[in-house]
Amino acid sequence: MFCFLLAWLPCKGQIVNRLKVDAPVFERYASGRMQMFNPDNLVLADSLYKAGEARGTVRYKCLGLSLEFPVRFAQGDYDRMDEAVAEIKKLLMPHPDTHPFMFSTVHEYCQYLIQTGRASDAMLEARAMERLATREKNALGLMYSHRIVGIIQSYRTNAYLAIQHFNEAAGYCREAKAEQELPVLYLLISQEYIKLGKYDRAEEYCTLAEGYQDFFPSLKILTRMTRAHLFYTDGDMDSFWRTYDSLVNDPLYKVQAESDSRYGIDVCYLQSKGLFDAALAKADSLSTARERHSFKHGIYAAKGSYPEAYEQIGLLMSEKDSIYIKVQNEDLAILDAEMNNARLRQEAQRLKAQNEMSIMLGFLAMFAIAFFGILFSQWQLRQNLDQMQKKNNEMLAARRAYQMAMDAKESENATRIKILQNRKSNTIKL
Protein backbone atom coordinates (compact mmCIF):
# COMPACT_ATOMS: atom_id res chain seq x y z
CA MET A 1 0.00 0.00 0.00
CA PHE A 2 2.80 2.43 0.86
CA CYS A 3 5.96 2.32 -1.27
CA PHE A 4 7.79 4.92 0.79
CA LEU A 5 11.17 3.23 0.88
CA LEU A 6 11.81 3.31 -2.85
CA ALA A 7 12.87 6.95 -2.96
CA TRP A 8 13.79 8.28 0.46
CA LEU A 9 16.38 10.89 1.33
CA PRO A 10 19.50 9.54 3.07
CA CYS A 11 20.94 11.12 6.17
CA LYS A 12 24.56 12.18 6.30
CA GLY A 13 25.61 9.14 8.35
CA GLN A 14 24.51 6.85 5.53
CA ILE A 15 26.52 8.60 2.83
CA VAL A 16 29.89 6.85 2.57
CA ASN A 17 32.96 8.27 0.84
CA ARG A 18 33.35 5.19 -1.36
CA LEU A 19 35.33 7.02 -4.05
CA LYS A 20 37.81 8.25 -1.42
CA VAL A 21 37.82 11.86 -2.64
CA ASP A 22 39.20 14.69 -0.51
CA ALA A 23 37.07 15.95 2.39
CA PRO A 24 35.91 19.34 0.96
CA VAL A 25 34.65 17.71 -2.26
CA PHE A 26 32.94 14.92 -0.33
CA GLU A 27 31.19 17.45 1.93
CA ARG A 28 29.77 19.22 -1.13
CA TYR A 29 28.66 15.90 -2.58
CA ALA A 30 27.10 14.73 0.71
CA SER A 31 25.14 17.97 1.02
CA GLY A 32 23.74 17.41 -2.45
CA ARG A 33 22.84 13.79 -1.68
CA MET A 34 20.81 14.88 1.34
CA GLN A 35 18.54 16.83 -1.02
CA MET A 36 19.03 14.64 -4.06
CA PHE A 37 15.85 15.70 -5.92
CA ASN A 38 16.70 19.40 -5.67
CA PRO A 39 17.11 20.90 -9.20
CA ASP A 40 20.00 23.02 -7.86
CA ASN A 41 22.02 19.79 -7.76
CA LEU A 42 22.42 20.06 -11.53
CA VAL A 43 24.71 23.07 -11.03
CA LEU A 44 26.75 21.20 -8.41
CA ALA A 45 26.83 18.11 -10.63
CA ASP A 46 28.14 20.13 -13.56
CA SER A 47 30.87 21.75 -11.45
CA LEU A 48 32.05 18.38 -10.12
CA TYR A 49 32.07 16.89 -13.62
CA LYS A 50 34.13 19.78 -15.00
CA ALA A 51 36.53 19.53 -12.05
CA GLY A 52 36.99 15.87 -12.92
CA GLU A 53 37.77 16.76 -16.54
CA ALA A 54 40.23 19.46 -15.45
CA ARG A 55 42.05 17.14 -13.03
CA GLY A 56 41.81 14.07 -15.22
CA THR A 57 39.98 11.98 -12.57
CA VAL A 58 36.90 9.86 -13.16
CA ARG A 59 36.00 10.05 -9.46
CA TYR A 60 34.86 13.68 -9.52
CA LYS A 61 33.04 13.10 -12.80
CA CYS A 62 31.11 10.16 -11.34
CA LEU A 63 30.17 12.14 -8.23
CA GLY A 64 28.67 14.76 -10.51
CA LEU A 65 26.81 12.21 -12.64
CA SER A 66 25.39 10.47 -9.55
CA LEU A 67 23.99 13.80 -8.34
CA GLU A 68 22.45 14.45 -11.74
CA PHE A 69 20.35 11.37 -12.42
CA PRO A 70 17.98 11.59 -9.39
CA VAL A 71 17.04 15.08 -10.55
CA ARG A 72 16.52 13.80 -14.09
CA PHE A 73 14.27 11.09 -12.67
CA ALA A 74 12.21 13.66 -10.75
CA GLN A 75 11.94 15.78 -13.91
CA GLY A 76 10.86 12.80 -16.00
CA ASP A 77 13.96 13.02 -18.21
CA TYR A 78 14.53 9.27 -18.20
CA ASP A 79 16.77 9.24 -21.28
CA ARG A 80 19.29 11.53 -19.62
CA MET A 81 19.01 9.49 -16.41
CA ASP A 82 19.90 6.35 -18.38
CA GLU A 83 22.82 8.13 -20.07
CA ALA A 84 24.25 9.36 -16.74
CA VAL A 85 24.21 5.88 -15.21
CA ALA A 86 25.64 4.29 -18.36
CA GLU A 87 28.54 6.77 -18.26
CA ILE A 88 29.20 6.01 -14.58
CA LYS A 89 29.43 2.29 -15.35
CA LYS A 90 31.70 2.93 -18.35
CA LEU A 91 34.04 5.16 -16.33
CA LEU A 92 34.25 2.95 -13.23
CA MET A 93 34.21 -0.57 -14.70
CA PRO A 94 38.00 -0.61 -15.37
CA HIS A 95 38.69 0.39 -11.73
CA PRO A 96 37.67 -2.42 -9.30
CA ASP A 97 38.39 -0.27 -6.23
CA THR A 98 35.53 2.06 -7.30
CA HIS A 99 32.97 -0.73 -7.76
CA PRO A 100 31.32 -0.27 -4.32
CA PHE A 101 30.29 3.23 -5.42
CA MET A 102 29.13 1.85 -8.78
CA PHE A 103 27.05 -0.85 -7.05
CA SER A 104 25.28 1.65 -4.78
CA THR A 105 24.62 3.96 -7.74
CA VAL A 106 23.17 1.21 -9.92
CA HIS A 107 21.04 0.08 -6.97
CA GLU A 108 19.51 3.54 -6.69
CA TYR A 109 19.00 3.66 -10.45
CA CYS A 110 17.16 0.31 -10.32
CA GLN A 111 14.73 1.73 -7.76
CA TYR A 112 13.83 4.48 -10.22
CA LEU A 113 13.43 1.91 -13.00
CA ILE A 114 10.93 0.01 -10.84
CA GLN A 115 8.99 3.19 -10.10
CA THR A 116 8.75 3.95 -13.80
CA GLY A 117 7.47 0.45 -14.61
CA ARG A 118 10.76 -0.88 -15.97
CA ALA A 119 11.14 -3.76 -13.56
CA SER A 120 12.55 -6.05 -16.27
CA ASP A 121 15.40 -3.58 -16.89
CA ALA A 122 16.00 -3.40 -13.13
CA MET A 123 16.13 -7.20 -12.93
CA LEU A 124 18.73 -7.36 -15.71
CA GLU A 125 20.82 -4.72 -13.94
CA ALA A 126 20.54 -6.66 -10.66
CA ARG A 127 21.59 -9.93 -12.31
CA ALA A 128 24.57 -8.26 -14.00
CA MET A 129 25.56 -6.72 -10.66
CA GLU A 130 25.29 -10.11 -8.98
CA ARG A 131 27.53 -11.79 -11.57
CA LEU A 132 30.21 -9.09 -11.29
CA ALA A 133 30.05 -9.07 -7.47
CA THR A 134 30.31 -12.87 -7.41
CA ARG A 135 33.42 -12.82 -9.61
CA GLU A 136 34.99 -10.15 -7.42
CA LYS A 137 33.73 -11.72 -4.15
CA ASN A 138 32.25 -8.32 -3.29
CA ALA A 139 29.66 -8.69 -0.50
CA LEU A 140 28.39 -5.12 -0.93
CA GLY A 141 27.51 -5.74 -4.57
CA LEU A 142 25.72 -8.97 -3.64
CA MET A 143 23.79 -7.10 -0.94
CA TYR A 144 22.57 -4.46 -3.40
CA SER A 145 21.67 -7.01 -6.09
CA HIS A 146 19.52 -9.07 -3.69
CA ARG A 147 17.91 -5.90 -2.34
CA ILE A 148 16.85 -4.87 -5.83
CA VAL A 149 15.45 -8.33 -6.60
CA GLY A 150 13.54 -8.14 -3.30
CA ILE A 151 12.01 -4.79 -4.26
CA ILE A 152 11.02 -6.21 -7.65
CA GLN A 153 9.35 -9.19 -5.97
CA SER A 154 7.54 -6.77 -3.66
CA TYR A 155 6.34 -4.83 -6.71
CA ARG A 156 5.06 -8.10 -8.11
CA THR A 157 3.27 -8.84 -4.78
CA ASN A 158 5.49 -11.89 -4.12
CA ALA A 159 5.97 -11.13 -0.42
CA TYR A 160 7.67 -14.39 0.54
CA LEU A 161 10.24 -14.09 -2.25
CA ALA A 162 10.79 -10.44 -1.35
CA ILE A 163 11.49 -11.36 2.30
CA GLN A 164 13.86 -14.11 1.19
CA HIS A 165 15.95 -11.70 -0.89
CA PHE A 166 15.88 -8.96 1.76
CA ASN A 167 17.17 -11.44 4.34
CA GLU A 168 19.95 -12.55 1.97
CA ALA A 169 20.80 -8.89 1.44
CA ALA A 170 20.98 -8.39 5.21
CA GLY A 171 23.46 -11.27 5.49
CA TYR A 172 25.73 -9.79 2.82
CA CYS A 173 25.28 -6.39 4.48
CA ARG A 174 26.85 -7.70 7.69
CA GLU A 175 29.60 -9.44 5.72
CA ALA A 176 30.42 -6.16 3.94
CA LYS A 177 30.38 -4.27 7.26
CA ALA A 178 27.79 -1.89 5.77
CA GLU A 179 25.48 -1.86 8.81
CA GLN A 180 24.15 1.57 7.85
CA GLU A 181 22.00 -0.23 5.24
CA LEU A 182 20.47 -2.74 7.70
CA PRO A 183 17.63 -0.58 9.12
CA VAL A 184 16.21 0.09 5.66
CA LEU A 185 16.27 -3.64 4.93
CA TYR A 186 14.49 -4.31 8.23
CA LEU A 187 11.73 -1.84 7.33
CA LEU A 188 11.36 -3.40 3.88
CA ILE A 189 10.94 -6.81 5.51
CA SER A 190 8.44 -5.34 7.99
CA GLN A 191 6.31 -4.01 5.14
CA GLU A 192 6.20 -7.45 3.51
CA TYR A 193 5.05 -9.06 6.76
CA ILE A 194 2.30 -6.45 7.01
CA LYS A 195 1.10 -7.52 3.56
CA LEU A 196 1.04 -11.12 4.78
CA GLY A 197 -0.90 -10.16 7.91
CA LYS A 198 1.95 -11.31 10.17
CA TYR A 199 1.89 -8.27 12.44
CA ASP A 200 4.08 -9.76 15.17
CA ARG A 201 6.92 -10.30 12.70
CA ALA A 202 6.33 -6.84 11.23
CA GLU A 203 6.61 -5.34 14.72
CA GLU A 204 9.76 -7.35 15.37
CA TYR A 205 11.53 -5.89 12.32
CA CYS A 206 10.28 -2.39 13.10
CA THR A 207 11.89 -2.70 16.52
CA LEU A 208 15.15 -3.88 14.93
CA ALA A 209 15.16 -0.81 12.68
CA GLU A 210 14.48 1.49 15.64
CA GLY A 211 17.76 0.41 17.18
CA TYR A 212 19.57 2.51 14.55
CA GLN A 213 17.60 5.73 14.98
CA ASP A 214 20.21 7.36 17.20
CA PHE A 215 22.76 6.94 14.41
CA PHE A 216 20.44 7.81 11.51
CA PRO A 217 17.78 10.32 12.64
CA SER A 218 15.91 10.21 9.31
CA LEU A 219 14.93 6.62 10.12
CA LYS A 220 12.53 7.93 12.74
CA ILE A 221 10.19 9.15 9.99
CA LEU A 222 10.42 5.91 8.03
CA THR A 223 9.90 3.76 11.12
CA ARG A 224 6.87 5.78 12.21
CA MET A 225 5.37 5.48 8.74
CA THR A 226 5.85 1.72 8.84
CA ARG A 227 4.22 1.59 12.28
CA ALA A 228 1.32 3.72 11.04
CA HIS A 229 0.76 1.21 8.25
CA LEU A 230 1.02 -1.64 10.77
CA PHE A 231 -1.47 -0.10 13.25
CA TYR A 232 -3.99 0.77 10.55
CA THR A 233 -3.88 -2.67 8.93
CA ASP A 234 -4.14 -4.33 12.36
CA GLY A 235 -7.17 -2.17 13.27
CA ASP A 236 -5.45 -0.40 16.18
CA MET A 237 -6.89 3.04 15.38
CA ASP A 238 -5.84 4.78 18.59
CA SER A 239 -2.21 3.92 17.96
CA PHE A 240 -2.62 4.83 14.30
CA TRP A 241 -4.04 8.28 15.13
CA ARG A 242 -1.24 9.00 17.63
CA THR A 243 1.39 7.97 15.11
CA TYR A 244 -0.28 9.98 12.35
CA ASP A 245 -0.36 13.13 14.53
CA SER A 246 3.33 12.73 15.39
CA LEU A 247 4.14 12.44 11.68
CA VAL A 248 2.20 15.43 10.36
CA ASN A 249 3.55 17.63 13.16
CA ASP A 250 7.15 16.69 12.39
CA PRO A 251 8.79 19.27 10.07
CA LEU A 252 10.95 16.53 8.52
CA TYR A 253 7.91 14.50 7.40
CA LYS A 254 7.33 16.40 4.15
CA VAL A 255 11.05 16.63 3.46
CA GLN A 256 11.94 12.98 3.98
CA ALA A 257 8.76 11.17 2.89
CA GLU A 258 7.74 10.58 -0.71
CA SER A 259 4.42 12.27 -1.70
CA ASP A 260 2.45 9.10 -2.58
CA SER A 261 3.33 7.60 0.80
CA ARG A 262 2.06 10.72 2.58
CA TYR A 263 -1.13 10.75 0.50
CA GLY A 264 -1.72 7.07 1.31
CA ILE A 265 -1.45 7.72 5.05
CA ASP A 266 -3.73 10.77 4.68
CA VAL A 267 -6.37 8.64 2.92
CA CYS A 268 -6.26 6.08 5.74
CA TYR A 269 -6.57 8.81 8.36
CA LEU A 270 -9.54 10.49 6.65
CA GLN A 271 -11.27 7.15 6.12
CA SER A 272 -10.71 6.14 9.76
CA LYS A 273 -12.37 9.41 10.82
CA GLY A 274 -15.37 8.81 8.54
CA LEU A 275 -14.44 11.66 6.18
CA PHE A 276 -15.12 9.59 3.08
CA ASP A 277 -15.49 12.34 0.48
CA ALA A 278 -12.23 13.95 1.58
CA ALA A 279 -10.59 10.53 1.51
CA LEU A 280 -11.82 9.93 -2.06
CA ALA A 281 -10.47 13.30 -3.16
CA LYS A 282 -7.11 12.58 -1.58
CA ALA A 283 -7.02 9.12 -3.20
CA ASP A 284 -7.27 10.79 -6.61
CA SER A 285 -3.92 12.48 -5.86
CA LEU A 286 -2.09 9.14 -5.91
CA SER A 287 0.08 8.70 -8.98
CA THR A 288 -0.55 5.00 -9.75
CA ALA A 289 -3.90 3.60 -10.91
CA ARG A 290 -3.49 0.45 -8.83
CA GLU A 291 -3.15 2.45 -5.58
CA ARG A 292 -6.06 4.74 -6.50
CA HIS A 293 -8.43 1.84 -7.20
CA SER A 294 -7.30 -0.05 -4.09
CA PHE A 295 -7.88 2.89 -1.74
CA LYS A 296 -11.16 3.96 -3.36
CA HIS A 297 -12.52 0.42 -3.19
CA GLY A 298 -11.90 0.41 0.58
CA ILE A 299 -13.45 3.86 1.03
CA TYR A 300 -16.63 3.02 -0.91
CA ALA A 301 -17.00 -0.28 0.95
CA ALA A 302 -16.63 1.49 4.33
CA LYS A 303 -19.10 4.12 3.19
CA GLY A 304 -21.63 1.47 2.16
CA SER A 305 -21.58 2.48 -1.53
CA TYR A 306 -21.35 -1.06 -2.80
CA PRO A 307 -21.94 -0.47 -6.56
CA GLU A 308 -19.06 2.01 -6.60
CA ALA A 309 -16.95 -0.34 -4.48
CA TYR A 310 -17.71 -3.14 -6.95
CA GLU A 311 -16.74 -0.90 -9.86
CA GLN A 312 -13.42 -0.02 -8.19
CA ILE A 313 -12.62 -3.65 -7.45
CA GLY A 314 -13.31 -4.46 -11.11
CA LEU A 315 -10.93 -1.71 -12.21
CA LEU A 316 -8.39 -2.92 -9.67
CA MET A 317 -8.61 -6.51 -10.96
CA SER A 318 -8.26 -5.26 -14.53
CA GLU A 319 -5.19 -3.27 -13.51
CA LYS A 320 -3.76 -6.30 -11.72
CA ASP A 321 -4.43 -8.46 -14.80
CA SER A 322 -2.57 -5.98 -16.99
CA ILE A 323 0.28 -5.92 -14.46
CA TYR A 324 0.29 -9.72 -14.38
CA ILE A 325 0.53 -9.84 -18.19
CA LYS A 326 3.25 -7.21 -18.07
CA VAL A 327 5.13 -9.19 -15.43
CA GLN A 328 4.88 -12.31 -17.58
CA ASN A 329 6.24 -10.38 -20.54
CA GLU A 330 9.02 -8.98 -18.35
CA ASP A 331 9.86 -12.47 -17.12
CA LEU A 332 10.01 -13.71 -20.70
CA ALA A 333 12.22 -10.76 -21.66
CA ILE A 334 14.51 -11.45 -18.71
CA LEU A 335 14.62 -15.17 -19.47
CA ASP A 336 15.35 -14.50 -23.13
CA ALA A 337 18.08 -12.00 -22.27
CA GLU A 338 19.65 -14.32 -19.69
CA MET A 339 19.51 -17.24 -22.17
CA ASN A 340 21.21 -15.04 -24.78
CA ASN A 341 23.80 -14.03 -22.21
CA ALA A 342 24.30 -17.70 -21.31
CA ARG A 343 24.74 -18.58 -24.99
CA LEU A 344 27.23 -15.76 -25.39
CA ARG A 345 29.13 -16.94 -22.31
CA GLN A 346 29.16 -20.52 -23.63
CA GLU A 347 30.38 -19.35 -27.03
CA ALA A 348 33.07 -17.25 -25.35
CA GLN A 349 34.12 -20.26 -23.27
CA ARG A 350 34.17 -22.45 -26.40
CA LEU A 351 36.33 -19.95 -28.27
CA LYS A 352 38.58 -19.59 -25.25
CA ALA A 353 38.95 -23.38 -25.00
CA GLN A 354 39.58 -23.56 -28.77
CA ASN A 355 42.23 -20.86 -28.54
CA GLU A 356 43.83 -22.58 -25.56
CA MET A 357 43.86 -25.88 -27.49
CA SER A 358 45.37 -24.17 -30.55
CA ILE A 359 48.03 -22.59 -28.36
CA MET A 360 48.72 -25.95 -26.72
CA LEU A 361 48.95 -27.76 -30.07
CA GLY A 362 51.21 -25.03 -31.40
CA PHE A 363 53.40 -25.35 -28.34
CA LEU A 364 53.51 -29.14 -28.72
CA ALA A 365 54.38 -28.80 -32.41
CA MET A 366 57.15 -26.35 -31.64
CA PHE A 367 58.38 -28.64 -28.88
CA ALA A 368 58.31 -31.64 -31.22
CA ILE A 369 60.20 -29.74 -33.93
CA ALA A 370 62.76 -28.56 -31.42
CA PHE A 371 63.06 -32.05 -29.91
CA PHE A 372 63.55 -33.80 -33.26
CA GLY A 373 65.88 -31.03 -34.32
CA ILE A 374 68.00 -31.70 -31.26
CA LEU A 375 67.92 -35.46 -31.94
CA PHE A 376 68.94 -34.92 -35.60
CA SER A 377 71.72 -32.58 -34.53
CA GLN A 378 72.97 -35.14 -32.04
CA TRP A 379 72.84 -37.88 -34.74
CA GLN A 380 74.77 -35.67 -37.17
CA LEU A 381 77.26 -34.86 -34.45
CA ARG A 382 77.69 -38.57 -33.72
CA GLN A 383 78.19 -39.31 -37.42
CA ASN A 384 80.79 -36.55 -37.68
CA LEU A 385 82.53 -37.78 -34.57
CA ASP A 386 82.61 -41.35 -35.91
CA GLN A 387 84.07 -40.16 -39.21
CA MET A 388 86.62 -38.06 -37.40
CA GLN A 389 87.47 -41.02 -35.16
CA LYS A 390 87.86 -43.27 -38.20
CA LYS A 391 90.13 -40.75 -39.91
CA ASN A 392 92.14 -40.36 -36.72
CA ASN A 393 92.52 -44.14 -36.45
CA GLU A 394 93.64 -44.39 -40.10
CA MET A 395 96.12 -41.57 -39.55
CA LEU A 396 97.44 -43.27 -36.43
CA ALA A 397 97.77 -46.60 -38.27
CA ALA A 398 99.62 -44.94 -41.17
CA ARG A 399 101.86 -43.13 -38.73
CA ARG A 400 102.66 -46.38 -36.93
CA ALA A 401 103.40 -48.15 -40.24
CA TYR A 402 105.67 -45.28 -41.30
CA GLN A 403 107.40 -45.35 -37.91
CA MET A 404 107.92 -49.10 -38.18
CA ALA A 405 109.34 -48.71 -41.70
CA MET A 406 111.67 -45.99 -40.49
CA ASP A 407 112.73 -48.13 -37.55
CA ALA A 408 113.41 -51.08 -39.87
CA LYS A 409 115.41 -48.85 -42.25
CA GLU A 410 117.40 -47.46 -39.36
CA SER A 411 118.15 -51.01 -38.09
CA GLU A 412 119.22 -52.06 -41.58
CA ASN A 413 121.52 -49.04 -41.84
CA ALA A 414 123.05 -49.79 -38.45
CA THR A 415 123.72 -53.38 -39.50
CA ARG A 416 125.42 -52.24 -42.76
CA ILE A 417 127.60 -49.81 -40.84
CA LYS A 418 128.76 -52.56 -38.52
CA ILE A 419 129.57 -54.83 -41.48
CA LEU A 420 131.59 -52.07 -43.15
CA GLN A 421 133.43 -51.36 -39.92
CA ASN A 422 134.32 -55.02 -39.51
CA ARG A 423 135.62 -55.25 -43.11
CA LYS A 424 137.73 -52.17 -42.62
CA SER A 425 139.21 -53.54 -39.43
CA ASN A 426 140.11 -56.84 -41.06
CA THR A 427 141.83 -55.14 -44.02
CA ILE A 428 144.10 -53.07 -41.76
CA LYS A 429 145.26 -56.18 -39.90
CA LEU A 430 146.35 -57.88 -43.14
Side-chain angles (χ1 to χ4, degrees), residues 179-195:
E179 284 79 2
Q180 72 275 9
E181 302 289 346
L182 277 174
V184 177
L185 286 167
Y186 291 151
L187 291 178
L188 286 167
I189 294 171
S190 178
Q191 290 180 42
E192 298 308 309
Y193 277 124
I194 291 171
K195 293 176 186 177

Side-chain angles (χ1 to χ4, degrees), residues 266-283 299 302-303:
D266 290 343
V267 171
C268 292
Y269 177 78
L270 293 169
Q271 181 178 333
S272 68
K273 291 293 186 179
L275 303 171
F276 299 120
D277 291 338
L280 288 168
K282 182 63 73 173
I299 296 166
K303 187 180 178 182

Side-chain angles (χ1 to χ4, degrees), residues 276-294:
F276 299 120
D277 291 338
L280 288 168
K282 182 63 73 173
D284 284 328
S285 302
L286 293 163
S287 62
T288 63
R290 182 169 60 170
E291 295 298 311
R292 288 196 298 272
H293 297 317
S294 178

